Amino acid sequence: MSRAVLCEGKRDVRLLERFYERRDGSVSFDTFHGERHESSELKSVEGNELRRFTGRRNDDDVFLKSEGGVEELKPLLVRLARPFFYEWQVDVCLVVDLDERDHDRWDETSDTDRYDDLVSDLDERVGGIYGRESEVEHEQFYRKGRHLLASSMLFDIERHEPTAFDVLAFRTSLEDAAGIADGDDDTTEDEKLDEFLSGEGGETIRRVL
């Protein structure tokens, strides 16, 4: 089954491009950066890309999409959830930053307040669009790393079977996890992304992708 990976930003997409490139061509992917388009044209261009990806002639396994921020990403997921899951039958993974503060606790056994906030926010948005009987809820954690967790949530709307989608959530951000600084050039960034993928990042991402 095809998979759409919805990301906050361009670096998240670049990380996953590097991740898939390590598979020696076994996974084909395409990318789309929503933040590169004017808002007046975004839905039209986005719609064309999604029709191509979900069409019969599509040869790509994965569609990597960035939105330019979590506040743009969450409504996108909610808006496209029904066609993704029930019309196009596409698997979905959401990639987000939780922006945890230093005093927010996160280890192998603890809960994560900001993660719970994400679930609650998505649940409220889904209920507002699809009806009060519709919801999003946490299903399970696959792995809690130092910087990145992998989990699944359930999307449940009226008159449809509940469907799970995956989540990759950075405790703070990808930049913090990989040690990327503002002055890093593209080569340095790629080296740091590769180093992150060689350790915790790759191990956690492989739980869902």
Side-chain angles (χ1 to χ4, degrees):
M1 182 180 289
S2 300
R3 178 184 293 273
V5 185
L6 309 178
C7 307
E8 279 197 39
K10 293 182 288 186
R11 281 199 183 108
D12 300 312
V13 168
R14 185 58 184 151
L15 174 73
L16 296 175
E17 287 176 336
R18 307 291 287 185
F19 172 77
Y20 284 119
E21 285 166 0
R22 289 170 168 237
R23 295 193 175 183
D24 300 322
S26 61
V27 176
S28 61
F29 59 86
D30 191 20
T31 62
F32 178 76
H33 297 287
E35 63 270 41
R36 293 179 178 174
H37 298 272
E38 297 293 334
S39 57
S40 59
E41 67 175 11
L42 177 58
K43 282 192 177 181
S44 175
V45 178
E46 175 187 89
N48 290 337
E49 287 296 311
L50 288 171
R51 281 190 290 274
R52 183 202 61 76
F53 178 67
T54 58
R56 294 181 180 180
R57 296 183 180 181
N58 173 55
D59 294 325
D60 293 316
D61 303 303
V62 178
F63 182 60
L64 300 173
K65 187 178 191 301
S66 65
E67 282 301 300
V70 68
E71 293 309 313
E72 289 73 28
L73 183 61
K74 289 184 287 189
L76 173 80
L77 170 68
V78 173
R79 174 169 58 87
L80 293 178
R82 181 155 56 187
F84 269 142
F85 299 139
Y86 304 119
E87 296 175 25
W88 303 327
Q89 296 183 329
V90 171
D91 288 337
V92 171
C93 180
L94 187 70
V95 183
V96 297
D97 296 340
L98 295 178
D99 298 319
E100 294 274 348
R101 296 182 293 270
D102 289 341
H103 64 267
D104 288 330
R105 181 170 170 76
W106 179 335
D107 58 33
E108 292 296 330
T109 59
S110 67
D111 291 331
T112 52
D113 291 340
R114 295 295 181 90
Y115 177 85
D116 293 338
D117 290 344
L118 173 65
V119 176
S120 297
D121 191 355
L122 292 174
D123 180 59
E124 183 176 345
R125 291 171 185 268
V126 165
I129 291 180
Y130 298 109
R132 290 180 296 175
E133 299 301 316
S134 303
E135 63 179 358
V136 168
E137 61 181 357
H138 168 71
E139 184 180 38
Q140 64 178 313
F141 287 113
Y142 297 118
R143 187 177 191 273
K144 286 184 181 180
R146 179 183 177 190
H147 296 287
L148 180 65
L149 69 77
S151 71
S152 66
M153 297 184 190
L154 280 177
F155 176 80
D156 187 3
I157 64 173
E158 298 177 27
R159 297 184 295 277
H160 291 83
E161 289 294 319
T163 301
F165 63 95
D166 296 319
V167 178
L168 289 168
F170 289 94
R171 180 186 187 274
T172 52
S173 66
L174 168 58
E175 289 77 10
D176 181 63
I180 294 173
D182 289 341
D184 289 344
D185 58 24
D186 291 345
T187 299
T188 302
E189 281 194 15
D190 284 347
E191 290 173 350
K192 291 182 176 181
L193 293 176
D194 288 341
E195 183 177 359
F196 181 63
L197 288 172
S198 296
E200 174 198 342
E203 184 177 350
T204 303
I205 292 171
R206 282 192 295 272
R207 298 294 179 96
V208 296
L209 297 181

